[in-house]
Amino acid sequence: MRAVRFHSVGQPPVLEDVDPPRPGPGEVLLDVAAAGVCGTELHFLDGLLAPARTPITLGHEVAGTVAEVGAGVVDVAVGDRVAVHYLHPCGRCHWCRAGDDHLCDAPLGFLAFVTDGGFADQLVVPASATVPVPGSVSLPLAATLCCSGSTALHAVATAGVSAGDTAVVYGAGGVGLAIVQVLRERGARAIAVARNPERLALARELGADATVDGTSDDVAAAIRAATGGTGADAVFELVGTRATSSAALAALGKGGALVYVGYSFDRIEFDPLSLVVPEQRILTSVGNRRAELVEALDLAARGRLRSVVTEHPLDDAVRVLDELRAGRVLGRAVLVP
Ligand SMILES: [Zn+2]
Ligand SMILES: [Zn+2]
């Protein structure tokens, strides 16, 4: 079968022929329907993140149809439409038992980080990592929710945003656009910041109450003006550079939370005093819980969470990654084998 494999930093991934995987006990074989192309892929190519082994098949946002089940699988059947929780939790460790399965100590697999991902014709995952996709949700949309939608739900929960709050979404890619919608769902006001006018227009279409041009001279002042001068209750940092962090901190109001979801090679400096006096918080949010993927799919089924999805063939992977790097992907691109 075909798979898009990452070999080494600085080299584009390669579409190769590999042996098709076989499902072992407790596992299922999926025919991949779609796999989202996320900024995380670029972090592998750039060497900011290192997978546990190379070569490895990229793609952690995957939905498909069950083609075969391994021994002992009883709750998933051939033909089921499923989304994959990309960090496959063990279900037994301290973190899993506490419901924080995204922090699992002994995951059964981790797509594209430890085990082969979904930029391929087929994929084997533990049956316990699959989540049923409601009939009204397309598999390409379901694939994007495995990262962007569910990561957005997790980030908004981490920030503790409540109805009536104002939150800034700094970066309007796949995750940012999903956060805008989740904020609206929670009754909060969203201000989106992006450098691309088409992304800002899309953020408004998806529910942003205000937008700020990320190329303007003083982004923080523009955000403060949009909050009536008080600053934001939360800022979701999806870029994570020195410049965006500085603007994000300056835009934060009293008691506000700066939540890092994105990151870069930059190191960030801050002055503790300027955080202590207004009692501001710096938080981080990684990935998502299985329950958040279930909620994302449910919101999508009720029309409350959308993705703008563009479909591309598997052999276009390198071109799509280049487009993503250049900031030319609007919404989420998925690879369709
Ligand atoms: Zn992702
Ligand atoms: Zn665990």
Side-chain angles (χ1 to χ4, degrees):
M1 68 161 195
R2 300 168 306 155
V4 177
R5 312 267 281 169
F6 167 69
H7 286 261
S8 58
V9 173
Q11 299 298 316
V14 185
L15 182 65
E16 295 169 5
D17 252 318
V18 298
D19 291 336
R22 305 290 311 156
E27 295 177 333
V28 297
L29 174 70
L30 303 183
D31 286 331
V32 175
V37 182
C38 174
T40 301
E41 260 77 51
L42 299 178
H43 294 334
F44 286 130
L45 302 186
D46 295 344
L48 182 56
L49 288 173
R53 64 167 165 84
T54 52
I56 193 163
T57 305
L58 295 174
H60 57 279
E61 317 178 2
V62 192
T65 306
V66 177
E68 195 178 331
V69 300
V73 173
V74 290
D75 44 358
V76 181
V78 170
D80 284 0
R81 300 162 77 246
V82 296
V84 181
H85 189 210
Y86 59 74
L87 184 135
H88 316 325
C90 76
R92 290 194 295 270
C93 72
H94 163 79
W95 298 103
C96 284
R97 285 201 310 270
D100 284 328
D101 50 28
H102 63 303
L103 299 176
C104 178
D105 279 334
L108 305 174
F110 190 2
L111 295 187
F113 287 78
V114 178
T115 44
D116 282 328
F119 291 175
D121 289 311
Q122 291 188 309
L123 173 70
V124 162
V125 296
S128 60
T130 64
V131 175
V133 176
S136 60
V137 176
S138 73
L139 290 175
L141 171 58
T144 68
L145 298 177
C146 294
C147 181
S148 65
S150 45
T151 298
L153 283 165
H154 188 61
V156 172
T158 300
V161 171
S162 36
D165 284 355
T166 297
V168 173
V169 182
Y170 210 124
V175 178
L177 292 171
I179 291 179
V180 165
Q181 296 173 78
V182 173
L183 287 169
R184 185 198 55 195
E185 188 66 21
R186 302 288 188 250
R189 194 167 163 262
I191 300 171
V193 184
R195 302 172 66 86
N196 171 331
E198 288 175 313
R199 286 189 178 190
L200 291 176
L202 186 54
R204 278 192 296 274
E205 190 189 319
L206 292 173
D209 299 274
T211 53
V212 170
D213 177 0
T215 64
S216 58
D217 288 341
D218 194 341
V219 173
I223 296 171
R224 292 196 84 91
T227 62
T230 58
D233 298 302
V235 179
F236 296 93
E237 237 289 21
L238 298 154
V239 188
T241 63
R242 205 179 167 87
T244 59
S245 292
S246 158
L249 277 171
L252 209 54
K254 284 185 185 174
L258 170 58
V259 185
Y260 280 96
V261 182
Y263 41 82
S264 70
F265 279 102
D266 284 5
R267 296 181 72 81
I268 314 296
E269 278 176 13
F270 62 89
D271 155 26
L273 175 64
S274 67
L275 290 173
V276 168
V277 172
E279 206 172 55
Q280 293 164 337
R281 296 160 293 146
I282 295 184
L283 305 171
T284 63
S285 178
V286 67
N288 50 79
R289 303 178 177 102
R290 181 193 166 88
E292 287 157 342
L293 175 54
V294 173
E295 185 183 358
L297 289 161
D298 177 59
L299 285 172
R302 292 189 284 118
R304 309 292 302 175
L305 185 55
R306 294 203 284 133
S307 292
V308 173
V309 183
T310 52
E311 300 182 16
H312 308 269
L314 208 50
D315 44 13
D316 268 0
V318 171
R319 186 186 56 76
V320 173
L321 287 162
D322 287 343
E323 298 265 297
L324 183 65
R325 187 187 295 286
R328 289 196 294 266
V329 173
L330 200 58
R332 200 58 132 191
V334 299
L335 298 178
V336 175

